[in-house]
Amino acid sequence: MAVRFARCRELFDEKFERVTKARILIIGVGGVGSYALDCLYRSGVGHITIVDYDSYETSNLNRQIGSDNAIGKCKVSTLSKLYPGIETIKLRVDTEWVANFDFDAYDLVIDACDSRAVKVELALKCWRKLLMSMGSAKRIDASKVQSASIWKSHGDPFARKIRNELKKRRFERNFTVVFSPETPYCKGSGSFAAVTGTFGLFLCSEAIKRVVQ
């Protein structure tokens, strides 16, 4: 263990203990969430829980860690074998689940799901510990990815819808989102691992910064 994380320990010095003790929940382990998981695991985060209901499909192969040789298999089960020690919750996340779930056991919540309604409910319930992914599809320039307050996100139609929904709910708090203002490169839901992966790595970076600072 000491050798495995030697470079991380060298980087963070005594603060590395905070990383090992951090408890992080990842909601959605697709093209964004799976990269966030990989980064957090390799960084030494000691307690990671992932939530997802889906199984791998052939269309996932272009961007999702764990999908190789796993078509038809449960995502959380497959990832628990690739990342021993993580905890898994297999269920379909909806607004009712968010309302009833106890987030107090976690230091940070990474939202990498696709549901606008779920994202709004997460913001309302646990904004203090929330890191949220906006739209990563339809983009090809990873250098455009950035993080900011939800209220300072721009150029992302999905983020604009989230902001509008929060305004309707009279939500005025602040939380961090990862987004890209890049003009969509295509119609539909085309995606590219260089961008979806960058979103996940940004979320990991924001999480680690929050833990050690």
Side-chain angles (χ1 to χ4, degrees), residues 105-174:
Y106 302 96
D107 301 307
L108 293 171
V109 176
I110 291 178
D111 166 32
C113 77
D114 298 323
S115 169
R116 187 170 73 199
V118 167
K119 288 180 179 293
V120 170
E121 291 303 318
L122 283 169
L124 294 173
K125 186 168 183 180
C126 58
W127 59 271
R128 288 181 178 86
K129 58 181 67 177
L130 184 62
L131 300 170
M132 182 182 291
S133 172
M134 296 288 99
S136 62
K138 308 177 186 179
R139 293 163 172 84
I140 63 172
D141 189 349
S143 70
K144 297 290 180 61
V145 180
Q146 54 191 280
S147 59
S149 159
I150 177 61
W151 305 115
K152 293 184 178 180
S153 60
H154 57 92
D156 183 336
F158 190 56
R160 182 175 65 250
K161 292 176 181 178
I162 298 295
R163 292 196 302 272
N164 289 340
E165 289 293 332
L166 290 173
K167 289 176 182 177
K168 290 178 183 178
R169 303 287 287 272
R170 297 187 177 181
F171 176 87
E172 298 179 345
R173 302 296 187 175
N174 189 42

Side-chain angles (χ1 to χ4, degrees), residues 22-169:
R23 305 185 67 90
I24 300 180
L25 176 70
I26 305 176
I27 301 175
V29 283
V32 173
S34 63
Y35 277 84
L37 166 62
D38 187 77
C39 181
L40 291 169
Y41 192 85
R42 292 176 186 275
S43 301
V45 174
H47 305 276
I48 304 173
T49 300
I50 61 174
V51 188
D52 205 306
Y53 180 80
D54 293 336
S55 298
Y56 290 110
E57 301 177 0
T58 304
S59 61
N60 301 147
L61 288 169
N62 78 312
R63 69 195 184 283
Q64 296 189 16
I65 293 177
S67 58
D68 296 301
N69 303 313
I71 302 305
K73 296 181 180 179
C74 171
K75 290 184 181 180
V76 296
S77 296
T78 300
L79 291 170
S80 68
K81 296 175 183 177
L82 293 175
Y83 304 96
I86 68 171
E87 297 181 6
T88 65
I89 302 174
K90 182 184 178 183
L91 56 75
R92 194 178 303 281
V93 175
D94 56 21
T95 56
E96 182 178 359
W97 178 82
V98 174
N100 294 320
F101 188 75
D102 182 8
F103 293 94
D104 290 342
Y106 302 96
D107 301 307
L108 293 171
V109 176
I110 291 178
D111 166 32
C113 77
D114 298 323
S115 169
R116 187 170 73 199
V118 167
K119 288 180 179 293
V120 170
E121 291 303 318
L122 283 169
L124 294 173
K125 186 168 183 180
C126 58
W127 59 271
R128 288 181 178 86
K129 58 181 67 177
L130 184 62
L131 300 170
M132 182 182 291
S133 172
M134 296 288 99
S136 62
K138 308 177 186 179
R139 293 163 172 84
I140 63 172
D141 189 349
S143 70
K144 297 290 180 61
V145 180
Q146 54 191 280
S147 59
S149 159
I150 177 61
W151 305 115
K152 293 184 178 180
S153 60
H154 57 92
D156 183 336
F158 190 56
R160 182 175 65 250
K161 292 176 181 178
I162 298 295
R163 292 196 302 272
N164 289 340
E165 289 293 332
L166 290 173
K167 289 176 182 177
K168 290 178 183 178
R169 303 287 287 272

